[in-house]
C-alpha cells in the first residue's frame, strides 16, 4: 500500500508532523523530489528537529528511509543530517539512496548565489541551495547520477572537465567570478563516493519487492501545489514537481500503486519567498499571527526567514487539493487561531470586476483581490482535546466550512505541534 503525503499550498503546511505520525505504522518512507532547500519541522520524544533532506519518518527503528531518484541529493548535507540525529540520541537510521538520484554539485550552490546577486531586486527569493541550477543540469543532461561515482575514474574526470568548460564561460563572463577548478570538483566527487557508498542501492527494485510483500510505504513531498513549476505561481516556484503524481516517478514505482493522497492544508495561510499571495495580511495583524503560529513562530525551517502571513484561502487550497488528487485532508495548526474574535476566509477572487472560485494563472492572479466571508472565533485553547465532538462548536463550524470549500474529507485535525496532538474524525464526505 502506497500513500503520498503532500502540501496543498505554498509549503509550510506541517507535512513533516503528519509524515512522522503516519510513519509509526509504516515500513518505508520515501522523499521523492526537492532537496535541502526546504525543511520539515518535527517534534517528538527525541526533541525538536528540522529535517532538510531526510524523510520525516526517520525517527523509528522499524522504518527504512529512502532518498528517491527525483531528489536533488546534497551528499554532504545527507551525511551531516544523519550524524546530527545520532548525536542527539536518535538511533542510527536505516537509509537507502537511489543509484539514479542526481548529485547536487558545489557549483550549483555558487550559481544559485551568483544568479540571485545578478538579478538583484528581480530575484526569485531563492534559498540559494543550488536547486534551480541542479534541475537545469539534470534536464540539460549535464548532471551526475550517483551510479557515475562508481564508474571508471577516468570517465568521471573527463565528464567533470567537459561540464566545467561551459560552466566557467558563465562564471567568468556573466558573473565575473573566479573560474571553478575541475580538479577540485573531481576530488570532491571521490569524497562523495565514499560518503554515499553505504547507502546506495537500486531503489526501484527495493520498492518493487516491498510492494509485492505488502509493505506500507509513504511518499513524502516537499513544498506544496502552489510551488509546482507547472501548476504553481510560476515563475516564483520551485524547480521540481511538488505533486503526488510525480511521487511515482521520483520514487521509481508505477503510478497506479499510489492508493491514497493525504494533502496537508494549513488552517491559515503562510509562505516563504516571493510570489502571488492573494489573502496576505500585513502589519500588526500579520505580526501577531506570525508570533503565535507554527510550533514557535512562523519562520522558515531552512532559511529562518519570517513567513508571509494570510487568512485561509479556500480558492488556492481547493485548487491545491485538486491538483494533488487529494483523497483526504489533514488540517494543521488549528490551535493557533484560538485568540481571534473572527476568522476571515477567502472564498473567491475578484479579477477585473468579476468573482471567480477557480485559481487562475499568474497574470490574472496579480490582479486578484480577496473576497472574504467571516466566521466567529472560538476564543479558547483547544490543545489537549482528543475527540472531535469535544471541540468548541465554532471551531467545528470552521473545520466543516473549510471541508465544504475543499470538497475533500478532512480526516485529521492537528491541534498542537507534538506527534500525537491530532484528532481523527469521520467526515460526512467519506464514501
Amino acid at each position: 500500500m502506497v500513500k503520498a503525503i503532500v502540501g496543498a499550498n505554498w509549503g509550510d503546511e506541517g507535512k513533516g508532523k503528519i509524515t512522522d505520525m503516519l510513519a509509526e505504522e509504516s515500513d518505508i518512507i520515501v522523499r521523492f523530489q526537492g532537496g535541502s532547500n526546504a525543511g520539515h519541522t518535527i517534534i517528538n520524544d527525541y526533541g525538536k528537529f528540522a529535517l532538510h533532506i531526510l524523510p520525516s519518518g526517520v525517527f523509528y527503528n522499524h522504518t527504512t528511509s529512502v532518498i528517491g531518484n527525483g531528489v536533488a541529493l546534497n551528499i554532504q548535507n545527507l551525511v551531516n543530517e544523519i550524524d546530527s540525529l545520532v548525536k542527539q540520541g536518535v538511533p542510527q537510521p536505516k537509509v537507502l539512496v537511489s543509484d539514479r538520484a542526481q548529485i547536487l554539485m558545489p557549483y550549483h550552490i555558487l550559481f544559485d548565489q551568483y544568479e540571485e546577486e545578478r538579478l538583484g531586486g528581480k530575484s526569485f527569493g531563492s534559498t540559494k541551495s543550488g536547486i534551480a541550477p541542479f534541475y537545469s543540469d539534470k534536464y540539460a543532461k549535464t548532471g551526475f547520477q550517483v551510479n557515475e561515482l562508481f564508474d571508471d575514474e577516468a570517465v568521471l574526470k573527463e565528464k567533470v572537465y567537459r561540464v566545467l568548460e561551459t560552466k566557467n564561460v558563465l562564471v567568468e563572463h556573466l558573473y565575473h567570478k573566479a573560474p571553478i577548478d575541475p580538479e577540485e570538483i573531481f576530488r570532491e566527487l571521490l569524497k562523495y563516493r565514499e560518503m554515499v557508498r553505504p547507502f546506495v542501492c537500486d531503489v526501484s527494485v527495493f520498492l518493487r519487492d516491498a510492494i509485492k510483500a505488502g509493505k506500507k510505504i509513504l511518499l513524502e513531498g516537499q513544498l506544496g501545489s502552489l510551488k509546482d513549476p507547472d501548476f504553481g505561481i510560476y515563475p516564483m516556484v520551485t524547480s521540481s514537481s511538488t505533486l503526488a503524481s510525480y511521487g511515482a516517478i521520483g520514487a521509481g514505482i508505477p503510478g497506479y500503486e499510489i492508493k491514497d493522497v493525504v494533502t496537508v492544508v494549513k488552517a491559515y495561510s503562510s509562505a516563504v519567498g516571493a510570489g502571488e499571495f492573494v489573502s496576505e495580511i500585513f502589519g500588526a495583524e500579520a505580526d501577531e499571527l506570525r508570533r503565535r503560529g507554527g510550533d514557535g513562530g512562523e519562520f522558515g525551517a531552512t532559511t529562518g526567514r519570517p513567513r508571509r502571513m494570510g487568512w485561509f484561502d479556500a480558492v488556492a487550497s481547493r485548487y491545491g487539493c485538486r491538483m494533488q488528487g487529494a483523497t483526504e485532508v489533514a488540517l494543521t495548526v488549528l490551535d493557533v487561531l484560538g485568540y481571534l474574535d473572527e476568522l476571515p476566509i477567502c472564498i473567491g477572487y475578484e479579477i477585473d470586476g468579476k468573482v471567480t472560485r477557480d485559481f487562475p494563472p499568474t497574470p490574472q492572479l496579480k490582479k486578484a483581490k480577496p473576497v472574504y466571508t467571516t466566521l466567529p472565533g472560538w476564543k479558547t485553547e483547544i490543545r489537549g482535546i482528543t475527540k472531535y465532538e469535544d471541540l468548541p462548536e465554532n471551531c467545528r463550524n470552521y473545520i466543516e466550512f473549510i471541508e465544504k470549500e475543499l470538497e475533500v474529507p478532512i480526516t485529521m485535525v492537528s491541534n498542537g505541534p507534538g506527534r500525537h496532538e491530532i484528532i481523527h474524525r469521520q467526515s460526512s464526505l467519506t464514501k
Side-chain angles (χ1 to χ4, degrees), residues 201-211 251-252:
C201 81
D202 186 334
V203 161
S204 67
V205 170
F206 173 76
L207 293 177
R208 178 201 66 192
D209 294 344
I211 290 170

Side-chain angles (χ1 to χ4, degrees), residues 220-355:
E220 181 183 25
Q222 180 203 64
L223 298 170
S225 304
L226 305 184
K227 289 292 186 177
D228 184 78
D230 289 301
F231 295 101
I233 51 173
Y234 187 87
M236 301 302 184
V237 293
T238 194
S239 301
S240 62
S241 178
T242 60
L243 302 184
S245 301
Y246 185 76
I249 300 167
I253 62 173
Y256 58 73
E257 293 292 355
I258 301 175
K259 307 299 185 187
D260 189 13
V261 179
V262 179
T263 303
V264 186
V265 177
K266 214 165 189 172
Y268 53 89
S269 298
S270 70
V272 171
E276 307 314 312
F277 187 179
V278 176
S279 68
E280 185 171 11
I281 58 177
F282 303 93
E285 196 173 44
D287 289 340
E288 183 71 3
L289 183 54
R290 185 182 298 109
R291 183 182 68 81
R292 292 172 177 269
D295 51 64
E298 288 285 0
F299 300 91
T302 297
T303 63
R305 289 183 293 186
R307 290 182 178 133
R308 299 162 64 194
M309 307 304 297
W311 301 126
F312 185 83
D313 187 331
V315 179
S317 299
R318 180 170 53 251
Y319 171 79
C321 287
R322 175 166 67 86
M323 297 318 302
Q324 293 289 8
T327 56
E328 57 181 307
V329 161
L331 186 69
T332 59
V333 292
L334 185 68
D335 55 299
V336 168
L337 300 176
Y339 73 98
L340 290 161
D341 293 315
E342 294 183 327
L343 295 158
I345 298 177
C346 175
I347 57 170
Y349 294 167
E350 182 183 334
I351 303 172
D352 295 331
K354 296 181 180 179
V355 175

